[in-house]
Amino acid sequence: MIKHLALKLFSFLLIFITQFQNCDFNLNFGMTEFEYDQYPSIPFEFEKLSLEATLEPDQNLIKGVAGYTMKIKAPVQDQLVLHTAALEIDGVTLNNAEIGFLIKADSLIIPLEDSLEAEQEVQLAITWQAQSIFGTHKDRFGTMWAGLNPLALRHWLPVYDHPSVETVVEAEFIIPADLSITFNGNKLADELLSTEQKRVRWETSTPVPVTGLSFVLGNFVHQEAMAGTKKIRVYGAEEIINQEEISALLAEAIQTKRSVENALSFEFPYESLNIIVLEDSYWDEIQSGAGIIYLYKNLGNLSAQLKRGIYGQWFGQYQRIRDFEYGMLYQELLKTALHYSVYDESALLVIDEEDPHISSFIWNELQNGFKNQDPFFRKTITGSLEPLIKSNKGLMNDTFYTDFWYAQTGLNWKEMDIWGSQDPDVDPDPASPEYSLSADYDEVDSKVVFAFEHINGDSSTLSGLNAVIYTMEDSTTQRISFTGQNDRVQIDVPMNVEYVALNSGVTAIDQIQVERFPLFFLLNQLRSNNIKDRETAARLLQFHTDNPDLQLALRDALESETNAIVKARLLETFGLFTKGASGTEQVFLQELNNESEAIQIGVIKSLSAYQGNEMVQGSIRNKAIRTENRLVFDEALKSYKKISSDQELVSLASTLLQADPTGVKTFEALKMSVDLDSTYRSFELLQQLSGSEFPPKTRFQSISLLLDHINKIENRTSLFEAWLMDFDPRIRFTAMSGIDLLSKEDSEQLLELVDQNKADFRFE
């Protein structure tokens, strides 16, 4: 199965991995290391966790006391061991008496003077604080939350971090007064302590797996409703979601929960469901905990994420797997089968090549393939859902599901293809021929001669188009066929022909590059009632720039044209005639703020010819700064680069940065200027863009561009130090990938930070 998985993921991962060819560490995405011990020594059970924690999001700090009511399971226990990776332990008490402790690797070891016996109950309390970049995340809006990746819990909470451990929880959080906090279970109280702080209490009366614990602290809007006996709440940051979207998610959550309960004949396993919508996943492979689900804008399709998260409450939380790979494969398969038991359509997530989530990739593959699977396969998996969930809870052994299906069928399910056949993508045939085409009109003999020249594809096949011949009275259609490297086709037309238009036949018209056409036809075609024909004529007139007298006809057409698309093409063509001539710019400038996107783009393309014209330069600059339309901005930026100096382009980027909260426009300008900027001001701006106040994708792109020029940057070592300790693991990974670009002396200064980052097993 590992080999099979590797083959399925190879093409997806290759793009990401090859961005970092200089890496001297392995990227394993947790396929091996993202798992828990198979037979951990846990001679006790948690009966209750009493958590008192103060959160200081500005410092990414969580501190407090974790109190455990523990029951000993085996005799003669002379020590207690919990996980405390990177935590600062301030003190430990056992039954209210202070006790010594040791820290070894990621473990808190508590030696006992008097050994504990089976069935004995003890009270253990640990005072700690944490500022972990591995256990918690913080985004640009100040939202702070606990990640759910395997082994992340021990980075923010002293606990025995293993999916076999579960407990009820009473949690009391001291937080800033203007924020709210969400946790597993139900909120009991929200009490203002001062103008600066408040106390919020949450409780889970149903035991939950500790690996499914998570909190999120931020400024949220929310809605809630009862779904049967369970409450469902949906939270989201105001910057990324509105009340209408929250309402739709709440309604869908209620419906999906009810549908799954009916499909499984099994009630939702936790006392409430809390759903939080955030901007970015920060590369968390696990997106749902026990009664808590995170939805991330960067993964797209919030509806699909929500459904997958709800299915995971049964297959992922109520039933859990130690082995990350096994659980990822087979629990995603079960969730997919559950999905198709409830819904007919697939629920695909967004796959971003710059931000690969293996679990999302597997979900999408199964979503595409399951409905095309062999009926016996689908029946076996779907039919097992209810008996599986009713017969077992908690931690499943590493072969639990495949053993279950083997017992039913006698087949080795570890060797079976779980992916199914994928729906083929509908792509144009790469062998389809492409041709260029020009036409001449013989007025004497009333004939049109088409000349075809092969460009690409298979020229041995017979190609064909439909020629529509228009007169004042009617229209007729003739088929024209052509083949080979060069071909000429002649057709007869009436003496009163107005124009001839070409449409798709055997060959798609999009595969024909139509060039010079008879001017007589095009001028008539500009008066057609058919918008598409007028647009084609406006575009093809560009092949007649050798006839300056056409400018008057184009001006007349511009004044009378009412369709925005046609007018945009006319403006582009007119620009090819004027070629930046002084005095003609007003034709374009008066249309620069037209509400039509197409007209704005056509105008901007034409204005790129007016080099040295300060009025045009200023107008294009203002358009780039003010427009919120990405296509218009891209065209304005390209035109501005043509008519401005390198330093003026850098100046534009600096101005954009002040009014561009996403940094997207600024980055595009810097991408153009960075190789041309002799002052290195572009590097300073890119460093600002890499800051935490910008969206993750902007930061990632900015850092990647800085790495391309890293040895030109004087403060490169301090930059790496900041990146290697960033909240976002993708930023840390990107920084680690660039270590080899530094000098030996610079890289040696960073080795300690590199070693710290290996706490994230994905890039050990």
Side-chain angles (χ1 to χ4, degrees), residues 35-79:
E35 62 185 44
Y36 298 90
D37 292 340
Q38 185 169 7
Y39 298 108
S41 178
I42 319 178
F44 54 81
E45 62 184 23
F46 291 152
E47 294 186 336
K48 182 180 179 181
L49 164 60
S50 298
L51 179 62
E52 299 176 5
T54 298
L55 275 66
E56 299 178 12
D58 290 344
Q59 304 298 320
N60 193 42
L61 175 66
I62 177 170
K63 61 183 179 181
V65 179
Y68 294 98
T69 301
M70 305 169 66
K71 187 175 182 180
I72 306 304
K73 297 165 63 176
V76 196
Q77 297 302 308
D78 57 7
Q79 67 177 19

Side-chain angles (χ1 to χ4, degrees), residues 534-535 538-539 557-558 561-575 588 591 594 596-606:
R534 296 206 306 276
E535 180 191 359
R539 179 174 56 82
L558 279 169
E561 183 56 61
T562 58
N563 181 269
I565 300 297
V566 178
K567 190 169 186 176
R569 297 293 171 268
L570 285 167
L571 284 163
E572 287 182 42
T573 297
F574 188 61
F588 306 105
E591 297 289 353
N594 192 293
S596 165
E597 173 191 281
I599 288 177
Q600 290 183 56
I601 290 174
V603 163
I604 291 168
K605 285 180 178 179
S606 296

Side-chain angles (χ1 to χ4, degrees), residues 704-723:
S704 297
L705 189 52
L706 283 168
L707 286 176
D708 291 340
H709 303 272
I710 196 63
N711 287 307
K712 298 178 184 177
I713 302 172
E714 290 186 3
N715 63 329
R716 52 187 173 272
T717 305
S718 60
L719 280 178
F720 269 91
E721 289 175 354
W723 296 338

Side-chain angles (χ1 to χ4, degrees), residues 421-433:
S421 59
Q422 307 295 306
D423 289 334
D425 294 328
V426 180
D427 292 324
D429 183 356
S432 297

Side-chain angles (χ1 to χ4, degrees), residues 327-373:
M328 181 169 56
L329 290 174
Y330 292 109
Q331 288 194 322
E332 293 296 338
L333 175 61
L334 288 165
K335 285 186 274 187
T336 297
L338 185 53
H339 173 77
Y340 282 113
S341 298
V342 176
Y343 294 100
D344 294 327
E345 299 297 323
S346 63
L348 299 177
L349 305 175
V350 170
I351 300 294
D352 189 339
E353 292 173 352
E354 294 179 344
D355 183 17
H357 286 74
I358 307 305
S359 56
S360 299
F361 176 84
I362 290 174
W363 165 265
N364 277 5
E365 288 287 295
L366 293 169
Q367 285 285 301
N368 280 325
F370 187 80
K371 60 181 180 290
N372 299 322
Q373 272 282 10

Side-chain angles (χ1 to χ4, degrees), residues 438-730:
S438 59
D440 288 311
Y441 175 42
D442 182 347
E443 295 184 57
V444 175
D445 295 329
S446 198
K447 298 179 184 297
V448 178
V449 179
F450 299 99
F452 294 90
E453 184 175 341
H454 177 255
I455 298 173
N456 192 29
D458 184 3
S459 64
S460 64
T461 60
L462 186 65
S463 301
L465 297 172
N466 291 324
V468 184
I469 304 163
Y470 290 91
T471 66
M472 292 292 291
E473 293 79 23
D474 58 16
S475 64
T476 58
T477 300
Q478 288 192 38
R479 295 179 181 176
I480 56 176
S481 300
F482 50 96
T483 190
Q485 291 294 313
N486 294 280
D487 203 355
R488 295 175 66 85
V489 180
Q490 179 177 285
I491 62 172
D492 294 323
V493 295
M495 294 295 296
N496 61 341
V497 62
E498 289 285 304
Y499 67 94
V500 176
L502 297 176
N503 296 324
S504 298
V506 176
T507 304
I509 190 64
D510 291 342
Q511 292 184 246
I512 307 299
Q513 295 182 14
V514 183
E515 297 177 353
R516 194 176 179 91
F517 238 63
L519 181 59
F520 170 72
F521 287 174
L522 298 180
L523 292 175
N524 288 334
Q525 194 168 334
L526 276 180
R527 298 190 295 269
S528 170
N529 291 326
N530 185 299
I531 292 174
K532 185 65 178 174
D533 283 354
R534 296 206 306 276
E535 180 191 359
T536 300
R539 179 174 56 82
L540 293 181
L541 281 170
Q542 67 181 278
F543 294 99
H544 294 274
T545 54
D546 54 346
N547 187 343
D549 295 337
L550 281 177
Q551 289 192 41
L552 182 60
L554 285 170
R555 283 181 180 270
D556 291 341
L558 279 169
E559 290 179 5
S560 61
E561 183 56 61
T562 58
N563 181 269
I565 300 297
V566 178
K567 190 169 186 176
R569 297 293 171 268
L570 285 167
L571 284 163
E572 287 182 42
T573 297
F574 188 61
L576 294 173
F577 278 84
T578 59
K579 299 177 182 177
S582 179
T584 59
E585 67 270 18
Q586 287 300 328
V587 175
F588 306 105
L589 290 174
Q590 67 185 7
E591 297 289 353
L592 185 57
N593 293 318
N594 192 293
E595 63 182 16
S596 165
E597 173 191 281
I599 288 177
Q600 290 183 56
I601 290 174
V603 163
I604 291 168
K605 285 180 178 179
S606 296
L607 288 174
S608 67
Y610 290 83
Q611 295 187 13
N613 189 312
E614 293 183 2
M615 181 183 296
V616 170
Q617 186 183 28
S619 298
I620 295 295
R621 178 186 172 92
N622 288 336
K623 174 59 69 174
I625 293 170
R626 294 173 183 173
T627 185
E628 296 181 2
N629 184 304
R630 180 60 191 272
L631 295 177
V632 172
F633 169 77
D634 288 345
E635 201 60 52
L637 188 61
K638 285 190 290 186
S639 291
Y640 191 75
K641 184 176 184 294
K642 290 179 181 178
I643 62 177
S644 304
S645 68
D646 298 341
Q647 292 313 307
E648 285 170 332
L649 185 59
V650 176
S651 174
L652 172 62
S654 182
T655 302
L656 286 170
L657 184 60
Q658 300 172 32
D660 180 18
T662 67
V664 171
K665 293 164 69 174
T666 310
F667 176 76
E668 291 302 320
L670 290 171
K671 192 165 61 172
M672 284 187 177
S673 69
V674 69
D675 290 321
L676 309 171
D677 181 10
S678 59
T679 69
Y680 294 166
R681 171 64 175 155
S682 295
F683 296 149
E684 297 174 13
L685 297 174
L686 281 169
Q687 289 178 46
Q688 292 182 51
L689 277 186
S690 71
S692 59
E693 64 271 27
F694 289 100
K697 188 163 187 174
T698 299
R699 302 185 65 208
F700 178 85
Q701 291 174 327
S702 300
I703 292 171
S704 297
L705 189 52
L706 283 168
L707 286 176
D708 291 340
H709 303 272
I710 196 63
N711 287 307
K712 298 178 184 177
I713 302 172
E714 290 186 3
N715 63 329
R716 52 187 173 272
T717 305
S718 60
L719 280 178
F720 269 91
E721 289 175 354
W723 296 338
L724 287 168
M725 295 306 294
D726 197 88
F727 290 115
D728 191 331
R730 294 158 301 186

